[in-house]
Amino acid sequence: MLDIASAFRPAPGYLDTPSYGLPARATAAAVRHAVRAWERGTLDPVALDGAVDRMRVAFAALVGTRAEDIALAGSTSQVVGMVAASLPDGARVVIAEGDFSSVMLPFTHDPRLDVRVVPLARIVAETLSGADLVAVSAVQSADGAVLDLTALADAARVSGTRTLLDVSHAAGWMTLDARAFDVVVASTYKWLGTPRGIALAAVRPEAAWVRPVAASWYGADCPWSALYGPHVELSESARRLDTSPPWQLVEAGAVALELLVRQGVESIGRHSVGLADGLRARLGLAPGASPIVSLAGVDAAVLARAGIRAAGRGGRVRLGFYLYNDERDVDAVANALRVAHAA
């Protein structure tokens, strides 16, 4: 079991992990070390391939698949864009109303595609109705609503519908089975605690239809032998979709993901959702399945004055509880809201 108290620098009142996660001490130290090496001219890009490989292994463990099925990218929208560009003309794509823009825009701005926007509650039914692709977040960014992933996977298997799942707000605390979906992508700077600039995607072998439309030298199995074209063979694995790694960030990325693997997703989920449910209970709300609590009628400035970092999303306040939070954060929010209501 990880000693959370020593692994992270204390940040009382930080409840904005859905915007960006806090780095562990070791993660921050890895960034500083990389910047010093960069400054001194001792950064070794070839050696850093090992850190990229470690990220693949750790992310695969966190989302329930194999390291060889992991592709490296810089952002979720980049991966979504590749999926959109890989679809044939006229493909029918279903997306969820109110989902994060990076999951939607690559489809809605592609005039070749027939895009249908439906309420989140209709996603599984639309999957069964014969959509060519369903693209949706496992957990909604705005309010933390959790999709029934088992139902989605079952519907896609029955209908033959291709699936793109954004797990940027799920990976790290939710048990996942990436093998049940074609593409599972996460921006890792949120709940996975890496520096911003890294995204990872699990692409199952059956999703060979996803084309490397942003093909990179790093998509070859031996990239340092593939620096000059045109006769470069891309990998037959998910690596074919890789883009070049951000060298100053990858060691920190590997450290962050490995920390979560050691702690265990189930343990993190119990802790994080448990704290969120603790706040819901204090506020007279029903338990939920998410570490994100979305509150209407709350002024974010009131929380800020009480030393609580949260975000406003969709006219509501969004709070996210994670492994570096504890009961004191629940108390702080509840007390701040009580004082505000009494004023």
Side-chain angles (χ1 to χ4, degrees):
M1 182 68 68
L2 183 69
D3 182 358
I4 297 299
S6 62
F8 289 87
R9 187 177 298 279
Y14 186 80
L15 294 170
D16 203 15
T17 296
S19 293
Y20 66 87
L22 301 182
R25 294 176 187 269
T27 304
V31 174
R32 290 191 292 269
H33 177 80
V35 170
R36 286 196 298 270
W38 175 28
E39 183 180 26
R40 296 167 181 169
T42 59
L43 195 71
D44 185 349
V46 177
L48 289 170
D49 284 354
V52 175
D53 291 339
R54 287 163 51 208
M55 284 200 297
R56 295 189 210 273
V57 170
F59 185 72
L62 291 169
V63 301
T65 190
R66 309 176 305 167
E68 56 264 42
D69 294 335
I70 305 302
L72 172 70
S75 68
T76 290
S77 59
Q78 180 183 1
V79 175
V80 179
M82 282 194 286
V83 170
S86 299
L87 295 173
D89 290 358
R92 182 186 176 202
V93 179
V94 173
I95 55 180
E97 188 176 43
D99 210 336
F100 193 68
S101 291
S102 292
V103 183
M104 308 175 77
L105 298 185
F107 301 108
T108 59
H109 284 265
D110 189 333
R112 303 176 307 110
L113 304 177
D114 176 13
V115 181
R116 182 174 182 184
V117 183
V118 303
L120 183 66
R122 289 284 306 164
I123 283 290
V124 172
E126 290 294 328
T127 304
L128 287 168
S129 73
D132 293 302
L133 175 85
V134 168
V136 65
S137 295
V139 177
Q140 292 294 299
S141 169
D143 61 7
V146 177
L147 183 64
D148 187 338
L149 297 184
T150 300
L152 176 61
D154 289 345
R157 185 169 55 251
V158 169
S159 64
T161 300
R162 294 168 174 172
T163 48
L164 167 68
L165 194 66
D166 177 6
V167 297
S168 296
H169 290 285
W173 66 267
M174 178 187 286
T175 300
L176 298 165
D177 181 7
R179 296 165 299 181
F181 306 94
D182 287 284
V183 179
V184 173
V185 61
S187 293
T188 60
Y189 67 91
K190 297 176 182 287
W191 304 88
L192 296 176
T194 78
R196 183 174 168 87
I198 300 171
L200 294 165
V203 184
R204 64 181 178 184
E206 294 86 349
W209 55 270
V210 181
R211 297 187 294 109
V213 296
S216 159
W217 65 277
Y218 208 70
D221 285 320
C222 299
W224 295 101
S225 300
L227 298 177
Y228 305 102
H231 303 295
V232 172
E233 293 291 331
L234 296 182
S235 177
E236 294 185 2
S237 72
R239 181 172 187 148
R240 73 186 184 279
L241 306 176
D242 274 15
T243 54
S244 182
W247 289 325
Q248 293 86 347
L249 306 182
V250 293
E251 174 63 26
V255 169
L257 297 176
E258 289 168 345
L259 180 150
L260 298 181
V261 172
R262 291 197 302 274
Q263 177 67 12
V265 170
E266 291 185 1
S267 171
I268 296 170
R270 284 194 301 271
H271 173 82
S272 305
V273 177
L275 290 175
D277 278 346
L279 177 62
R280 292 183 183 104
R282 296 277 290 272
L283 301 179
L285 302 175
S290 172
I292 296 175
V293 179
S294 178
L295 301 175
V298 175
D299 185 351
V302 170
L303 297 179
R305 286 194 294 271
I308 297 161
R309 177 68 178 265
R313 292 293 185 272
R316 302 166 69 93
V317 167
R318 183 187 69 184
L319 305 120
F321 291 88
Y322 205 38
L323 75 173
Y324 35 69
N325 296 118
D326 58 30
E327 292 290 345
R328 288 171 292 186
D329 296 309
V330 175
D331 291 340
V333 176
N335 291 339
L337 293 178
R338 185 179 64 251
V339 170
H341 291 320

